[in-house]
Amino acid sequence: MNASRLLAPCLVALIAVALMAACADNASGPDAPGADGAEVGSSAESTATAATGACNDDGSGPSCDWQPTDNGLIVRVSGETFGTDEVLVEYSNEDAGRFQTRPVSVQDGVYEVPVARLRPETSYDFQVLGVSESGETLPGPNGTFTTGSLPPGLQRAEVEVITGKSTSELTFMDLNAHEFEGHPSFFGLVAIDGDGEIVWYVETGETNAMAQKPDGNIVFLDYASGLREITPLGEEVAFVDSPCNPIVFHHEVEVLPDGRILTLSFDVVDAFDDPSRLQVADTIWAWDQSKGSVGKVWSLLDVEDPLMNRTESSGLDEEGFMWRGCNSSLPTEDWSHGNAVKAAPDGSMIVSSRHLNQVHSITSDFEGLNWRLGGHGSDFTFPEPSDQFYHQHTASQLPNGNVLLFDNGNSRPDEEGGEYSRALELELDFESGTARKVWEYAGDPTLYAECCSSTERLENGNTLIVFGSNMQEDVCCRVHTIVEATPGQEAAWRVEVKAPGQNVLYRVYSGDSILGERHLPA
């Protein structure tokens, strides 16, 4: 029996008061039965154009072989060794740039190099290079290829750069475009380059949160099954099954420095002694792949009381929330609506509870509470009322100790500016117990994203932001705005993303590479 299937007996605990408290050891890994490298996202009904290409072979030197893959933006170059133990491929296009794959080892006299970060329907020249022990490169065979088209459901996505160019090599995002007026659907993950060109995709099924591991693998939430880890080529290598569909994990994937992977789940509790008002209380789960285990490590109930700490949104019982539980008929209220857990530089964990207008800092061992920011019982006051945040997303702590978050602004009082959204950085003064705004970006004119959205501070001091919902527009034409904002509150890069049938864009993430490739100087 697959170890990941052992989560199923916990359904009884879910329907009762606590969710899966005792379930563990339900994770699979690369060596587990079923984790056999099956590719994710190949579309049987796709009519996309395949890549084409050829190696030049004049008979005077080593030759190579060129192969397309099921993904039009990934190709493979292979051949027999020509005197080195490692091989890489250099490839270029005048508009896209010049790149070099990471070296791969020669196995039994043969090499195979996957090539990614490619624009659709674009021609590239390539050169195979042997890498000597001293690091010198030796020229090998060369050739050309033209990439395939995007899958039909992704072809309708529009990515328009309004101004500037990203300072990050890549920007990853979720893109879930439902079938709409004859347009086919696309559910998956996408990466764009600094010019706004799609250079990578994988069809995953409907998803939102993802994280890239140091080895380049992607861990993401699959709404149909649970947590999954894939290579950038789309090969599944590990997974954690959810006991039901919709899944019981939600909103977050965070890879810790020690390799553990955090996600959010929940407990269902009868806090009011009223079976008609069960409360959904967020929890943190940790997937430890080195031990092959997964389980709950923290509950919001450890530090908060649903009877005392709640807002008007805490009573929401709308249908459709996929973290309601395996028994969708349970009369639940979305008490806290956690949407982020992020590791702080000091090892603490920053937890965002949207429906409480509150951020918690908890200790690295998940045993203690460092502080609360915002909401009921906050350890910090706001001398300037307009510095407060409402229904936030992606709270994180910066190396300087400040808190960065996306302030969605739902139900912001008129006297504080009304409903608008912004990226917000707050400085915490522990001596005075106050919090004050030190930076924000709201756009000009201001934008309002009532759900989703994210912020990320980049190494150069800029901030990557997505205003991820635009509910005022019909689903045919919703524009999701990505901005790279400077410390001076200017838009160094502004991009608009839309696809018919795309309700929201949950988050965006900066990235350096897909398969370890390097962007070479022109």
Side-chain angles (χ1 to χ4, degrees), residues 208-232:
N208 58 11
M210 60 152 278
Q212 190 174 31
K213 298 175 69 174
D215 63 3
N217 283 0
I218 304 288
V219 184
F220 66 95
L221 288 175
D222 182 337
Y223 286 174
S225 61
L227 272 171
R228 301 172 74 182
E229 179 181 347
I230 60 173
T231 71

Side-chain angles (χ1 to χ4, degrees), residues 189 207-213 217-223 226-230 240 247 249-256 259-265 284-287 289 338-343 394 506-509:
L189 302 170
T207 184
N208 58 11
M210 60 152 278
Q212 190 174 31
K213 298 175 69 174
N217 283 0
I218 304 288
V219 184
F220 66 95
L221 288 175
D222 182 337
Y223 286 174
L227 272 171
R228 301 172 74 182
E229 179 181 347
I230 60 173
V240 177
I247 63 173
F249 307 120
H250 63 92
H251 279 96
E252 185 63 276
V253 176
E254 174 77 349
V255 179
L256 300 183
R260 286 179 299 163
I261 298 166
L262 302 183
T263 190
L264 289 166
S265 188
I284 299 173
W285 279 52
W287 179 14
Q289 294 178 315
N339 57 28
V341 51
K342 298 294 182 186
T394 58
Y506 180 59
R507 284 184 185 174
V508 295
Y509 316 78

Side-chain angles (χ1 to χ4, degrees), residues 13-342:
L14 174 66
I15 297 172
V17 174
L19 167 69
M20 301 175 287
C23 296
D25 300 323
N26 66 321
S28 78
D31 299 323
D36 56 1
E39 289 199 1
V40 174
S42 56
S43 176
E45 60 186 30
S46 173
T47 58
T49 304
T52 60
C55 293
N56 297 328
D57 184 6
D58 59 8
S60 62
S63 63
C64 66
D65 189 20
W66 178 93
Q67 308 97 26
T69 70
D70 290 339
N71 187 314
L73 304 191
I74 298 173
V75 303
R76 298 178 190 269
V77 177
S78 61
E80 295 182 357
T81 182
F82 45 97
T84 62
D85 292 332
E86 290 188 324
V87 169
L88 58 82
V89 173
E90 191 170 298
Y91 55 105
S92 62
N93 168 273
E94 183 177 357
D95 295 325
R98 182 166 154 255
F99 303 91
Q100 199 175 80
T101 70
R102 106 182 128 200
V104 302
S105 298
V106 175
Q107 302 289 336
D108 298 324
V110 175
Y111 64 84
E112 182 177 89
V113 184
V115 181
R117 189 173 174 172
L118 303 172
R119 295 180 178 184
E121 300 179 89
T122 301
S123 295
Y124 290 82
D125 298 318
F126 73 87
Q127 170 82 60
V128 180
L129 298 171
V131 183
S132 68
E133 291 183 2
S134 63
E136 295 182 82
T137 56
L138 305 175
N142 58 61
T144 61
F145 61 80
T146 299
T147 53
S149 64
L150 298 173
L154 189 53
Q155 290 175 16
R156 60 191 164 114
E158 298 179 30
V159 182
E160 181 181 2
V161 176
I162 305 302
T163 186
K165 185 170 183 174
S166 172
T167 64
S168 298
E169 287 290 332
L170 299 166
T171 300
F172 291 87
M173 68 189 76
D174 56 280
L175 202 155
N176 298 294
H178 296 259
E179 185 176 347
F180 184 81
E181 295 184 353
H183 295 285
S185 63
F186 176 89
F187 300 111
L189 302 170
V190 169
I192 61 175
D193 63 18
D195 294 322
E197 296 283 348
I198 295 175
V199 294
W200 175 83
Y201 70 88
V202 62
E203 295 181 80
T204 60
E206 194 165 358
T207 184
N208 58 11
M210 60 152 278
Q212 190 174 31
K213 298 175 69 174
D215 63 3
N217 283 0
I218 304 288
V219 184
F220 66 95
L221 288 175
D222 182 337
Y223 286 174
S225 61
L227 272 171
R228 301 172 74 182
E229 179 181 347
I230 60 173
T231 71
L233 303 177
E235 300 161 341
E236 184 172 275
V237 295
F239 53 86
V240 177
D241 278 346
S242 170
C244 61
N245 184 2
I247 63 173
V248 298
F249 307 120
H250 63 92
H251 279 96
E252 185 63 276
V253 176
E254 174 77 349
V255 179
L256 300 183
D258 64 8
R260 286 179 299 163
I261 298 166
L262 302 183
T263 190
L264 289 166
S265 188
F266 51 83
D267 288 331
V268 178
V269 297
D270 186 0
F272 287 93
D273 196 22
D274 181 352
S276 69
R277 293 190 61 192
L278 301 178
Q279 302 298 296
V280 176
D282 289 293
T283 61
I284 299 173
W285 279 52
W287 179 14
D288 190 333
Q289 294 178 315
S290 67
K291 297 179 180 178
S293 64
V294 62
K296 183 172 71 173
V297 295
W298 182 83
S299 171
L300 184 62
L301 294 169
D302 296 339
V303 296
E304 300 298 343
D305 184 346
L307 279 68
M308 302 294 296
N309 187 357
R310 58 195 300 115
T311 68
E312 289 186 6
S313 296
S314 297
L316 286 179
D317 58 357
E318 298 177 31
E319 294 183 5
F321 283 140
M322 57 184 53
W323 50 99
R324 292 168 65 93
C326 288
N327 183 350
S328 60
S329 66
L330 288 176
T332 59
E333 294 181 350
D334 189 17
W335 168 47
S336 51
H337 198 112
N339 57 28
V341 51
K342 298 294 182 186

